[in-house]
Amino acid sequence: MHRLKTNMSTAVRGTSYLPDGAHQGGGGLSGAEQKVKSLSTSIAQHLQRIYSAHADPTTKSWRQEDVAVWLRHCQGDDEAELARDFPLHQDWDYESFVRYITSSAANSIAPPAPEAQDLSYPLSSYFISSSHNTYLTGNQLSSESSADAYKNVLLRGCRCIEVDVWDGSDSESEAGDDDETSSSSSSSSDDDAFGSDGEQLGTASKMKRKAKRKLPSFLGGRKKSKDKKPAAATAEPSTSKAAAAAAATIPAVPGVPAPVPVPAMTAATTTDAVAPAAGGGLSADTTETNPPLEKSKSGGSSSLFQTLSRKSTKEPRVLHGYTLTKDITFRDVCEAIKDYGFAATDLPLIVSLEVHCSAEQQERMVDIMRQTWGDLLLPEPEEDAKCLPSPEELRGKILVKVKYAPPNDAGGSTTPEDLDNTVANAVAGGLPDEPGQPKQRAAKKPSKIIQALSKMGIYTRGVSFKSLMQPEANMPTHIFSLSEGGVMEVHKEDRKALFDHNKRYLMRAYPSGMRILSSNLDPAVFWRKGIQIVALNWQNWDEGMMLNEGMFAGTGGYVLKPAGYRCGKYTGDNPDPEADTQADAVQHYTMDLTIDVIAAQSLPLPPGDTNIDSFRPYLKVELHVEEPGERHGTDELPQDGKEKEGEYKAKTKSLKGYGCNPDWKAKYGVPVELKFESIPGVVPELSFVRFLVLDDEIGRDSLAAWACVRLDRLREGYRFVHLLDAKGMESEGVVLVKITKKLRL
């Protein structure tokens, strides 16, 4: 139980734990070359027995032909690959055998196959290692934000990061989005980042006060006082009925405080430019002293919004809105992305922007990105792309994902004329209709994204999802963002259309807003739907992040989908229209898997434990494969995106008295055999094996170390499983096993 308490304590305080990302897993660290640096006495004895069992009785060495037979039939190795590093054309002594068995060639994880490293397909043909609310270091409600969080995930191989951007002063924030009624605090995408239509978003201080009142006390919320009396109501100023009706119908204007009732307007005054009233509301009166309203050169309307709102004194900030999370500056985030975006790999980096800023602050965002990233940004194309480019074509480039505002659409940018007409029409629409007069048409709502910012989304244009049949669903550069629950709904309605869409176009899935402690969904469930970008909370260590490590081990953050999951290489077309669901897109196998557990060494202790004598480790192995009902569409997606537990798992007995070097074969005389027989519906590229070392305790057993391997990369024969500790850091811990894997149709 102590590990659970440790995690809760960290989550509540929001303290950051940001180790060196270059030595932390989650994004593919386990695919790097790993060697066993030293051998414990017990493991050395086991290796000596393995060697002696195949040695020539006379020479006590392995003859050249015996080496080839053993490598081919027992290990399943490619001799041509081994020939570069090991002497295959001569006899092996024990030292030669040890050099092989402790090298990366004997790692349980095979490197990606050459064909799987083909980066010439369109972007939609790849799974992309992705982060959710990247700036957070703990829970979703009260943890710290840090630019170092971007450094951490980028060094770990993440290729899609998220940035939630808010105005830099307390006078801002946009209102209104008819797509969703939730704010950033619901873990939404840029498509549903704003409040509901007509809702006035408060200042940063009001946001935090409001959030703190609603938070449970264990997450930093304010305790309710039993003696507190309700505040007296404030009297409203009297207005005419017509004026009150007009004020009620005026939509919230970006950057403008909520309107107060105004005196009835004449036809002349309703078309005049509006300016802030002394009381902070809107006034229809204009004077000669008002400056002209000009459209900004970059496609926004900063001068208008500077007139309508108090000019911000700070640069845009990054935080989780309507929560108690601490903020950082947008510039600091951009600097971290510039410094570490291509430190681990030069494959393209997607920066997913969730924008809550006023037009003026969006202008500032554009300036900061262009100044900081410079040539890392893509040049603006002369025409829209007919299909998505490949990762190979985009090496070393940052792709900005931001909500798309059509350039010629009336709502594409907020100009002075648009705003004047919007306010005037809204006022007129709220007045009683006069006999014989035609009804005023409903005003189009201005876009919240200025053109200068929208244009930066060249190949990753965020589009609000309504259905897979909406016109934008055929735009090659669009990307839909859906919560895990949203994916479940779409899958339930039309799994075929969902699967077909994801062959040719991008889609992003993100965790439910109810995951306040930053737990993760099961990404494999969503990868099997063809979704390329499955965003995870990288600050939390759970099943989801382990599977992410297994998927992207040693890949640079891009994994080519199975053939039936991807589109044509150069055209972006569907090469196999008949392969229209996950049930028939790829071959499914029945699998027999046996893992003989021999011994382990140098196991790390669970977090917070220092007493080696009380350590009672055991090894648990779990298989992650798709459910038959999910494959054939007879079942809905598992609740919360999680698989059923308890179906495919096996474990050894715990050992006491061996410390960090448990030896199961020495204890029982033979290796402990963990068997998985006749497992149906296995797709090796989308199935995973998890190795978990746990401490046998009273209550919940604590995690000490783990490894996760994609099934198609799980090697057979005598192998070392290299372990990461409970926080995903590299460790010296290894488990010696013998693996036998058989796939049949």
Side-chain angles (χ1 to χ4, degrees):
M1 292 294 293
H2 63 274
R3 180 173 179 265
L4 179 62
K5 291 178 181 178
T6 299
N7 286 348
M8 283 288 292
S9 177
T10 301
V12 172
R13 291 194 308 269
T15 55
S16 59
Y17 175 70
L18 297 174
D20 181 5
H23 298 282
Q24 191 175 24
L29 174 69
S30 56
E33 289 195 1
Q34 294 171 308
K35 300 179 180 180
V36 180
K37 298 177 181 178
S38 61
L39 295 172
S40 67
T41 301
S42 60
I43 285 187
Q45 291 172 348
H46 290 306
L47 294 180
Q48 181 67 61
R49 292 191 196 98
I50 296 169
Y51 175 79
S52 299
H54 298 274
D56 181 88
T58 305
T59 63
K60 306 298 183 183
S61 64
W62 285 13
R63 295 176 298 180
Q64 177 181 331
E65 55 270 28
D66 294 332
V67 172
V69 169
W70 187 79
L71 291 174
R72 187 183 308 116
H73 295 288
C74 181
Q75 300 293 91
D77 284 336
D78 186 333
E79 295 177 49
E81 292 182 5
L82 292 178
R84 294 173 298 184
D85 301 311
F86 303 98
L88 301 183
H89 301 293
Q90 64 185 55
D91 293 352
W92 275 16
D93 56 14
Y94 177 66
E95 285 71 23
S96 299
F97 168 72
V98 170
R99 188 159 68 90
Y100 159 79
I101 204 70
T102 58
S103 73
S104 59
N107 191 340
S108 60
I109 303 177
E115 58 271 18
Q117 300 183 69
D118 186 347
L119 295 169
S120 60
Y121 282 85
L123 282 173
S124 60
S125 294
Y126 296 86
F127 298 120
I128 303 171
S129 185
S130 307
S131 165
H132 170 253
N133 286 354
T134 311
Y135 47 88
L136 292 180
T137 59
N139 69 65
Q140 300 291 307
L141 295 182
S142 59
S143 64
E144 300 283 348
S145 299
S146 173
D148 282 343
Y150 291 89
K151 171 185 175 181
N152 176 268
V153 303
L154 290 169
L155 289 177
R156 291 159 64 187
C158 185
R159 300 322 291 159
C160 180
I161 55 179
E162 186 175 14
V163 188
D164 291 4
V165 194
W166 296 77
D167 283 351
S169 72
D170 287 346
S171 63
E172 74 309 316
S173 263
E174 295 214 357
D177 190 350
D178 51 9
D179 298 326
E180 296 281 343
T181 59
S182 62
S183 73
S184 170
S185 60
S186 66
S187 302
S188 64
S189 70
D190 49 63
D191 302 331
D192 52 13
F194 300 87
S196 59
D197 192 19
E199 176 188 4
Q200 178 66 28
L201 305 188
T203 65
S205 57
K206 288 180 180 178
M207 286 163 52
K208 292 196 174 185
R209 286 199 299 270
K210 183 177 180 181
K212 191 164 187 177
R213 286 196 299 269
K214 294 189 175 183
L215 281 183
S217 58
F218 80 94
L219 283 172
R222 183 183 302 169
K223 294 184 179 179
K224 293 183 179 180
S225 173
K226 296 182 180 179
D227 301 327
K228 189 173 181 179
K229 297 181 180 180
T234 303
E236 296 288 340
S238 60
T239 61
S240 68
K241 293 183 179 180
T249 59
I250 299 178
V253 180
V256 184
V260 296
V262 294
M265 297 181 179
T266 65
T269 59
T270 57
T271 57
D272 290 337
V274 291
L282 287 177
S283 171
D285 294 330
T286 58
T287 66
E288 303 254 334
T289 59
N290 286 338
L293 304 178
E294 298 178 355
K295 184 177 180 180
S296 68
K297 295 181 181 179
S298 57
S301 48
S302 59
S303 59
L304 169 66
F305 284 93
Q306 289 172 14
T307 304
L308 292 178
S309 63
R310 298 191 301 274
K311 187 174 181 179
S312 64
T313 58
K314 299 180 182 178
E315 291 189 337
R317 304 166 299 147
V318 175
L319 76 154
H320 202 194
Y322 298 95
T323 70
L324 301 179
T325 57
K326 308 303 185 294
D327 64 274
I328 50 178
T329 69
F330 181 65
R331 184 180 295 275
D332 284 346
V333 171
C334 290
E335 290 286 351
I337 293 171
K338 179 193 71 174
D339 293 341
Y340 300 100
F342 300 98
T345 176
D346 67 346
L347 293 181
L349 173 64
I350 300 173
V351 177
S352 179
L353 298 178
E354 187 176 305
V355 182
H356 306 259
C357 295
S358 64
E360 180 223 343
Q361 292 275 280
Q362 290 181 47
E363 296 272 10
R364 193 78 64 88
M365 286 176 60
V366 172
D367 291 341
I368 291 172
M369 287 188 285
R370 294 200 180 281
Q371 292 168 7
T372 307
W373 297 339
D375 292 340
L376 296 176
L377 291 167
L378 291 167
E380 187 174 335
E382 296 180 359
E383 60 180 4
D384 288 347
K386 300 297 187 293
C387 64
L388 288 171
S390 68
E392 185 66 48
E393 296 173 287
L394 299 171
R395 284 185 181 273
K397 293 297 182 181
I398 292 175
L399 280 63
V400 176
K401 174 187 170 293
V402 66
K403 190 170 184 180
Y404 177 58
N408 298 320
D409 185 78
S413 61
T414 307
T415 64
E417 294 82 4
D418 291 335
L419 188 60
D420 291 345
N421 293 334
T422 297
V423 175
N425 290 340
V427 172
L431 296 173
D433 293 332
E434 295 184 14
Q437 294 295 325
K439 285 188 176 182
Q440 295 284 343
R441 291 186 302 170
K444 289 186 178 181
K445 189 172 69 173
S447 169
K448 290 166 288 292
I449 303 298
I450 65 172
Q451 276 297 302
L453 181 55
S454 176
K455 286 180 179 179
M456 297 186 75
I458 296 172
Y459 299 120
T460 45
R461 294 171 169 174
V463 174
S464 300
F465 178 80
K466 295 175 178 63
S467 80
L468 292 171
M469 303 304 293
Q470 67 190 82
E472 297 93 339
N474 292 315
M475 182 172 67
T477 55
H478 83 273
I479 175 170
F480 288 139
S481 290
L482 289 85
S483 69
E484 54 184 294
V487 172
M488 294 177 191
E489 287 297 322
V490 176
H491 176 265
K492 181 179 179 181
E493 292 172 4
D494 196 340
R495 64 190 181 95
K496 179 182 181 299
L498 175 65
F499 191 81
D500 185 61
H501 171 278
N502 294 337
K503 285 184 181 180
R504 293 174 290 174
Y505 310 113
L506 292 173
M507 182 173 283
R508 174 178 176 267
Y510 56 88
S512 163
M514 298 304 293
R515 296 181 179 273
I516 59 174
L517 294 181
S518 299
S519 64
N520 282 304
L521 47 79
D522 179 348
V525 171
F526 300 89
W527 290 327
R528 289 194 288 265
K529 304 294 166 283
I531 296 175
Q532 300 86 359
I533 300 174
V534 182
L536 300 176
N537 294 307
W538 286 50
Q539 70 274 32
N540 192 39
W541 287 103
D542 55 16
E543 175 184 305
M545 280 305 298
M546 294 180 190
L547 294 177
N548 202 69
E549 173 70 22
M551 171 62 84
F552 295 102
T555 64
Y558 281 76
V559 169
L560 185 64
K561 293 181 180 180
Y565 277 67
R566 56 186 187 243
C567 63
K569 194 167 189 177
Y570 302 109
T571 64
D573 295 331
N574 186 352
D576 186 4
E578 298 302 319
D580 55 8
T581 68
Q582 67 187 82
D584 49 29
V586 292
Q587 182 65 60
H588 291 72
Y589 298 91
T590 298
M591 181 184 70
D592 296 319
L593 177 66
T594 302
I595 299 175
D596 293 332
V597 183
I598 301 172
Q601 69 174 37
S602 305
L603 297 179
L605 295 174
D609 282 2
T610 57
N611 188 355
I612 296 178
D613 294 335
S614 66
F615 187 35
R616 299 179 58 187
Y618 65 93
L619 180 68
K620 180 180 179 182
V621 177
E622 294 184 0
L623 295 186
H624 295 262
V625 299
E626 66 181 332
E627 300 289 339
E630 178 195 341
R631 179 167 72 256
H632 296 294
T634 56
D635 291 343
E636 297 181 19
L637 284 174
Q639 185 65 30
D640 291 331
K642 289 190 175 182
E643 294 182 287
K644 298 175 183 176
E645 292 195 5
E647 190 161 2
Y648 304 125
K649 56 180 63 175
K651 65 180 181 179
T652 68
K653 292 183 178 179
S654 61
L655 295 184
K656 185 177 181 180
Y658 287 82
C660 296
N661 301 305
D663 190 336
W664 286 276
K665 186 174 181 180
K667 174 70 174 179
Y668 301 109
V670 293
V672 176
E673 187 178 68
L674 304 180
K675 300 192 72 171
F676 302 88
E677 296 181 304
S678 299
I679 307 299
V682 174
V683 179
E685 302 95 326
L686 296 169
S687 302
F688 301 86
V689 181
R690 264 203 314 160
F691 299 86
L692 305 169
V693 176
L694 297 111
D695 187 7
D696 190 357
E697 299 177 313
I698 298 175
R700 182 179 179 179
D701 296 339
S702 298
L703 178 68
W706 60 275
C708 186
V709 186
R710 208 173 74 183
L711 190 58
D712 63 323
R713 295 176 60 185
L714 181 67
R715 285 169 161 158
E716 293 189 76
Y718 290 97
R719 303 291 175 182
F720 277 111
V721 179
H722 290 259
L723 302 170
L724 301 172
D725 71 14
K727 293 187 178 293
M729 296 299 294
E730 288 179 321
S731 81
E732 297 297 322
V734 293
V735 183
L736 178 62
V737 298
K738 184 181 181 183
I739 299 170
T740 305
K741 178 178 63 175
K742 301 296 181 186
L743 297 171
R744 60 182 188 275
L745 297 177

